[in-house]
Amino acid sequence: MNWASGRQRWIFFISLISFVGFIIMAALVKFQLLAPLDLAIITSIQNLEHPFITDIAIGLSFIGSIGPVTVLCLIVIAVLYWVLRRRTEILLLIVVVFGSSILNLLLKFIFQRVRPDIHRLVEITGYSFPSGHSMGAFSFYSVLAYLLWRHIDSRTGRGVLIAFAIIMILSIGLSRIYLGVHYPSDILGGYLASCAWVSFMVRYYERRMGKRAFPDA
């Protein structure tokens, strides 16, 4: 087994596990088996309520919304096109991020879960499961880390990149729970759905591009 095929098998495994995890999570949500745990986590997080934390949560929530994500995508596209000269990666970015948004809308229409109404710090409409912010954050920051990883030579730089991606993904998800607009299971469901989607698209991209996916490998 060569390096590329071994890598793709691992990516497929991650995609499969995430997909199965999402199916299990969706079933638990459908039959309301996570309601006590959801409530306990929401209560614990909202017990930390403070004006300063609220401002941070609102800011993170804004960063994870469609407008700022679109702007960030345009910035990354510009870097990939003019600076790194990796134009084939632009299509992967677009498909992953905006495909995730479409997938989220479809899943919300299927499950039609009502948002929590316990202690909302902001008002918002629409269905709850899975979280669009968590799916968007996971899709954008994970594919960003994937695309920029190969262009960073130092171990420290790569570590900072991964840490930044993880912090942003988790922070945006937690902000939605803190603000009272999502159940924790919405966030985890969004992460699982997005992980399955991103892994699937990355594997397809690598199989399609072959050695061109890693010209420096």
Side-chain angles (χ1 to χ4, degrees), residues 55-69 71-72 133 172 175-176 179:
D55 288 341
I56 293 176
I58 291 174
L60 287 168
S61 185
F62 173 75
I63 291 172
S65 59
I66 187 65
V69 170
V71 172
L72 291 172
H133 276 66
I172 290 174
S175 74
R176 304 300 283 172
L179 293 174

Side-chain angles (χ1 to χ4, degrees), residues 8-9 13 28 33 36 39 42 48 53 65 79 89 94 101 109 120 138 158 165 168 194 202 211-212 217:
Q8 289 170 17
R9 288 187 64 177
F13 180 73
L28 293 174
L33 299 178
L39 179 59
I42 290 175
L48 301 173
I53 298 177
S65 59
V79 172
E89 297 176 357
I94 294 173
S101 297
F109 177 77
R120 291 190 190 179
F138 192 101
R158 288 180 169 183
M168 290 304 298
S194 191
V202 165
K211 292 183 177 181
R212 291 178 293 171

Side-chain angles (χ1 to χ4, degrees), residues 88-133:
T88 58
E89 297 176 357
I90 294 174
L91 183 59
L92 175 64
L93 174 69
I94 294 173
V95 171
V96 165
V97 175
F98 292 99
S100 176
S101 297
I102 295 172
L103 178 61
N104 178 257
L105 291 175
L106 176 62
L107 291 172
K108 283 191 173 184
F109 177 77
I110 292 173
F111 293 102
Q112 298 189 10
R113 188 187 198 187
V114 178
R115 292 182 183 273
D117 191 17
I118 301 170
H119 176 51
R120 291 190 190 179
L121 299 181
V122 295
E123 288 301 321
I124 191 171
T125 58
Y127 295 120
S128 185
F129 181 84
S131 164
H133 276 66

Side-chain angles (χ1 to χ4, degrees), residues 16-57:
L16 179 61
I17 292 298
S18 299
F19 177 75
V20 172
F22 176 78
I23 295 299
I24 294 173
M25 178 62 65
L28 293 174
V29 167
K30 182 69 175 178
F31 294 104
Q32 300 183 1
L33 299 178
L34 295 176
L37 182 59
D38 273 334
L39 179 59
I41 295 174
I42 290 175
T43 301
S44 296
I45 292 177
Q46 290 196 328
N47 281 339
L48 301 173
E49 183 179 346
H50 185 277
F52 179 69
I53 298 177
T54 300
D55 288 341
I56 293 176

